[in-house]
Amino acid sequence: MQIIIAGGTGLIGTALYKRLAADGHDVTILSRSPDKARVSMPAETKFARWDGKTAEGWGHLVEDADAIINLAGAGIADKRWTAERKAAIYQSRMDVGSAIVEAVKAATNKPSVVLQASAVGYYGVDNGDTILTEASGPGSDYLAQVCFDWEASTSALDAMEIRRPILRTGIVLSNKGGAWPKIKLPFMLFAGGPLGSGNQWYPWIHIVDEVRAIQFILESSEANGAFNLSAPTPVTNKELAKVTGNVMRRPSFVPAPSVALKIALGEMSTIVLDGQRVVPQKLEEMGFTFKYADIENAVRELTAKN
């Protein structure tokens, strides 16, 4: 397949590119700074320069593309959530969706599938212990609204009869970045433990399974609509802390009080203090099997690669 990836130099995009390229797919990554991006990517990686807002300079590539994968958007946890940062997080996602729709509309030969990124934040933070499947409704907080509109940013493609799976990703565990290095650090310093109450659910997924699931959805012609990309066994923050401490042979009882996290992180503290008990119902119904379905196995694999 000829595939275009927006957001192909991020944590998920980089791992996905390497897997797709290794399997013989012809992949082009859209990047604002191709020269800078090449430094951390394989030498043979193909890039196309874009502005992140329009189809200018790359739209012609859609004519030969079988698929587009949209993973692009400003990082949720990269900076403190000021009003300006929240606007940038939101607008970056709307701009990319608009650019992809623009490019596909202009193409005579349209791709058969566009994969649209989202996150489990779609379900909101007021669900308690409720098990959330793809049929569950959206929340009403800031992240839920971002995810809802993010998913809708490419909805115009539905009228073109283009398959448009939506990837509602959980907390991706990888040694290359994202949440895991931050989770692991306190344990390395013998100061690990639950965050806040510790009762919040963490819908986690190993980076290997994240990439495998995306490829599975990409190559399954019947896969459409929303998919939860999270392991079938979500855990509470307290359980994650216990497993991490046991595997790393470090204490796991030093709590980080909610009030301290709220002072340090501001509104962004919702990322670590709130959660969703999400399960990948549709993936499992389609026959996808997880390599890392158990949190202890995932943590052991990640720790062994240090």
Side-chain angles (χ1 to χ4, degrees):
M1 297 175 69
Q2 293 203 36
I3 302 168
I4 298 171
I5 302 180
T9 58
L11 176 66
I12 298 171
T14 299
L16 179 62
Y17 165 80
K18 290 178 180 178
R19 180 178 177 96
L20 293 176
D23 285 351
H25 296 290
D26 186 347
V27 184
T28 299
I29 293 176
L30 304 183
S31 174
R32 292 181 180 86
S33 305
D35 293 337
K36 181 179 178 181
R38 283 191 178 92
V39 175
S40 58
M41 297 294 287
E44 67 276 11
T45 307
K46 294 197 299 185
F47 289 94
R49 188 182 299 275
W50 78 326
D51 58 10
K53 298 179 179 180
T54 70
E56 184 177 350
W58 68 273
H60 64 283
L61 299 175
V62 176
E63 293 287 349
D64 298 316
D66 300 296
I68 299 175
I69 303 175
N70 177 19
L71 303 174
I76 292 290
D78 291 355
K79 300 178 181 178
R80 192 179 179 91
W81 285 1
T82 62
E84 182 180 9
R85 182 59 183 173
K86 288 169 69 175
I89 288 169
Y90 181 87
Q91 195 58 49
S92 66
R93 286 158 172 76
M94 299 306 104
D95 287 345
V96 174
S98 176
I100 289 173
V101 169
E102 176 189 349
V104 174
K105 277 186 175 180
T108 301
N109 301 309
K110 303 185 187 304
S112 61
V113 58
V114 173
L115 272 64
Q116 171 63 51
S118 183
V120 295
Y122 171 92
Y123 301 109
V125 296
D126 300 320
N127 300 289
D129 293 334
T130 301
I131 295 175
L132 303 169
T133 71
E134 291 85 354
S136 301
S140 58
D141 56 274
Y142 166 70
L143 281 182
Q145 188 61 58
V146 168
C147 291
F148 185 89
D149 290 351
W150 193 11
E151 294 181 10
S153 69
T154 52
S155 61
L157 302 178
D158 297 343
M160 304 178 207
E161 299 184 350
I162 294 172
R163 184 166 66 91
R164 194 175 66 95
I166 294 167
L167 314 174
R168 292 178 183 160
T169 294
I171 300 169
V172 179
L173 302 184
S174 167
N175 284 320
K176 299 293 185 180
W180 175 244
K182 299 179 179 69
I183 292 171
K184 180 178 63 174
L185 180 60
F187 292 90
M188 295 176 66
L189 300 174
F190 292 86
L195 305 179
S197 70
N199 295 323
Q200 65 273 33
W201 288 94
Y202 274 17
W204 64 277
I205 185 169
H206 192 291
I207 185 64
V208 168
D209 283 329
E210 172 76 7
V211 169
R212 290 177 62 248
I214 293 174
Q215 186 172 11
F216 177 84
I217 292 168
L218 173 67
E219 296 175 351
S220 300
S221 60
E222 70 276 20
N224 209 354
F227 288 85
N228 290 336
L229 271 57
S230 59
T233 53
V235 296
T236 64
N237 174 262
K238 191 179 297 182
E239 291 170 327
L240 176 59
K242 181 179 179 180
V243 169
T244 303
N246 288 343
V247 171
M248 296 182 65
R249 298 181 181 179
R250 297 288 196 278
S252 59
F253 54 81
V254 183
S258 297
V259 63
L261 291 168
K262 289 178 180 178
I263 291 172
L265 301 176
E267 187 181 355
M268 192 173 70
S269 63
T270 186
I271 295 174
V272 294
L273 293 178
D274 300 307
Q276 303 85 13
R277 193 177 183 181
V278 171
V279 295
Q281 180 173 302
K282 284 179 63 176
L283 270 176
E284 292 197 301
E285 287 177 348
M286 288 185 63
F288 180 80
T289 57
F290 287 79
K291 184 173 182 180
Y292 298 99
D294 177 81
I295 187 62
E296 182 172 343
N297 290 338
V299 170
R300 286 193 183 281
E301 192 277 340
L302 292 165
T303 305
K305 287 191 173 181
N306 286 347

